[in-house]
Amino acid sequence: MTAPSALRLISAGIGEMVVSDDLDAVLVAYGLGSCIALAAHDGRRGVAGLAHFMLPTGSRSAETPVKFVDPGLEVFIEAFVAAGGDPARATYKAAGGAAMLRLGGANLDIGQRNIEALRQGLERRGLRLVAADLGGSTGRTVQLEARSGRLFIRSIAGTKTL
Amino acid sequence: MQTMELDEAALATRFTGAMVCAGEALAEMSGRPIRIATPAVRPCSPDEVVAMAGGPEAIVVGVYLGVSGGLQGHALLVLEPGSARRLAALLLDGLADDGPAAEPEAGQLGELERSALGEIGNVTISAFLNEIGRRSANPIQPTPPQVVVEMAGAIVDGILLDLLGSTERVLAAHTVFHDGDDRIHALLLVLPDPARLPELLADRPRPSA
């Protein structure tokens, strides 16, 4: 999954998103644990986006616009449209939402809650995932290839492509 | 969200005292001259912590303990896999492979090594919890240790999210295990409930029940 040097890697940190109309861009979210990454790709208009959500719900923040699935999903779709993408025609893929540790704290199963929040948020907008690698107990790094819409997922177990 | 205003000198003192106790315990368990030092302790952002662990995709060994009772939160000992194996070998006394030639592929810790690392993490983290727990009316209770081999970013995000909304600061202690002249470096992370930690660090007697 090594990107040729002509490709441009753009990273979405925790709570951040990247949207690009550069077909040579590769959008990346590193080291997802409970976090969840949503990839959107409109091949006809050449727009790709990647959001790196942390938690299911919370307040909107300018610094980390997609920190929360709700309301971050709306913010992400607005940015996708602003870049020229058509959300109704785009394909959506997602990865993350793992639970690597049995946590002792109060807010258990954040990964699972993130997954449910994302599925519900997409459903409310009439959108659906065409492919996903969600849950489990493994950390993931995801790369969205803007030209093809392929989503590469790297984990300790190996690499897969959606 | 609360900021974590801490007396860093008091924090360093607590860590130092705790690591002396933990070193003595490990030395007794292993029969080797183990001591532990924490030359640098400070509150960090999650991004800084992940960078200190080698970056978000770096495969690391994490020994995790949840914390409840007088202090809510999480604690994690993070080691590079080769260092983890060397540290386990100290306790296993030759039962596990030692030295750089035995550096494992990701995810290839043996059961004995996992068990030894769990015990080392348990002793080290519990020593810190005991040290600050002296100032708590309620006992601080750690969970049994869990050993994971994973991407550093994934481990940290997993435990950070549980406390998000109350703190975004992590106490990071560069930790060095000394076995004679040999040194093994690790990172000890404590993610506490910020409402309680400053009070527990204050140098005052334990309140009466």
Side-chain angles (χ1 to χ4, degrees):
Chain A
M1 136 179 184
T2 304
S5 57
L7 298 180
R8 196 163 64 91
L9 281 173
I10 311 174
S11 171
I14 296 177
E16 297 175 355
M17 63 181 174
V18 286
V19 178
S20 177
D21 59 2
D22 176 357
L23 291 179
D24 289 327
V26 176
L27 315 184
V28 192
Y30 293 105
L32 300 167
S34 314
C35 288
I36 195 164
L38 174 65
H41 182 252
D42 182 345
R44 193 174 303 180
R45 297 190 180 176
V47 177
L50 190 69
H52 185 159
F53 299 111
M54 298 175 77
L55 290 166
T57 59
S59 302
R60 192 166 175 162
S61 149
E63 279 184 12
T64 48
V66 297
K67 184 172 181 176
F68 304 100
V69 177
D70 179 12
L73 181 56
E74 189 63 38
V75 179
F76 177 58
I77 289 173
E78 286 170 5
F80 190 74
V81 171
D86 178 351
R89 201 168 48 200
T91 54
Y92 299 91
K93 300 174 183 177
M100 282 160 296
L101 295 162
R102 298 180 303 279
L103 296 179
N107 302 317
L108 303 176
D109 286 334
I110 290 173
Q112 196 57 42
R113 287 165 52 206
N114 279 338
I115 293 168
E116 287 167 13
L118 180 65
R119 288 195 190 282
Q120 288 170 8
L122 289 171
E123 193 176 313
R124 274 198 301 273
R125 292 164 178 82
L127 308 173
R128 67 179 186 87
L129 296 172
V130 298
D133 181 26
L134 296 166
S137 58
T138 305
R140 302 165 170 95
T141 285
V142 302
Q143 290 192 351
L144 173 62
E145 202 173 63
R147 185 175 298 275
S148 67
R150 289 186 300 177
L151 189 67
F152 299 95
I153 301 167
R154 185 163 56 227
S155 74
I156 200 165
T159 302
K160 64 172 76 171
T161 307
L162 299 181
Chain B
M1 181 177 301
Q2 300 184 43
T3 58
M4 194 154 47
E5 299 293 339
L6 292 179
D7 179 340
E8 292 194 26
L11 184 64
T13 301
R14 302 284 180 265
F15 265 102
T16 299
M19 292 308 111
V20 169
C21 294
E24 288 172 354
L26 290 179
E28 190 170 329
M29 290 165 69
S30 65
R32 299 175 76 144
I34 297 175
R35 65 185 180 85
I36 310 172
T38 49
V41 183
R42 66 186 178 92
C44 295
S45 71
D47 285 346
E48 286 177 292
V49 165
V50 170
M52 289 161 77
E57 280 200 289
I59 301 299
V60 298
V61 176
V63 185
Y64 165 81
L65 278 78
V67 183
S68 62
L71 181 70
Q72 303 283 330
H74 308 278
L76 185 73
L77 186 67
V78 181
L79 297 119
E80 178 273 326
S83 297
R85 234 178 160 208
R86 285 171 56 213
L87 190 58
L90 293 184
L91 214 59
L92 297 172
D93 195 20
L95 288 175
D97 289 336
D98 203 349
E103 187 156 324
E105 293 295 319
Q108 287 191 347
L109 286 177
E111 280 307 307
L112 273 177
E113 290 168 322
R114 284 178 177 268
S115 176
L117 289 168
E119 192 53 35
I120 290 167
N122 190 30
V123 167
T124 306
I125 292 168
S126 294
F128 176 71
L129 298 177
N130 287 337
E131 183 69 22
I132 60 171
R134 291 176 189 175
R135 290 152 185 85
S136 171
N138 299 321
I140 297 176
Q141 296 164 337
T143 64
Q146 298 174 54
V147 180
V148 293
V149 184
E150 255 300 345
M151 294 178 182
I155 296 177
V156 171
D157 110 21
I159 58 175
L160 181 73
L161 297 193
D162 187 55
L163 284 181
L164 218 74
S166 59
T167 183
E168 286 187 348
R169 303 298 278 178
V170 181
L171 297 181
H174 174 208
T175 303
V176 187
F177 292 82
H178 296 258
D179 176 33
D181 292 334
D182 194 15
R183 294 179 179 191
I184 299 170
H185 295 268
L187 192 59
L188 177 57
L189 307 177
V190 183
L191 289 85
D193 173 355
R196 291 284 291 128
L197 189 64
E199 181 188 335
L200 295 177
L201 286 173
D203 195 10
R204 62 178 179 75
R206 177 181 179 147
S208 55

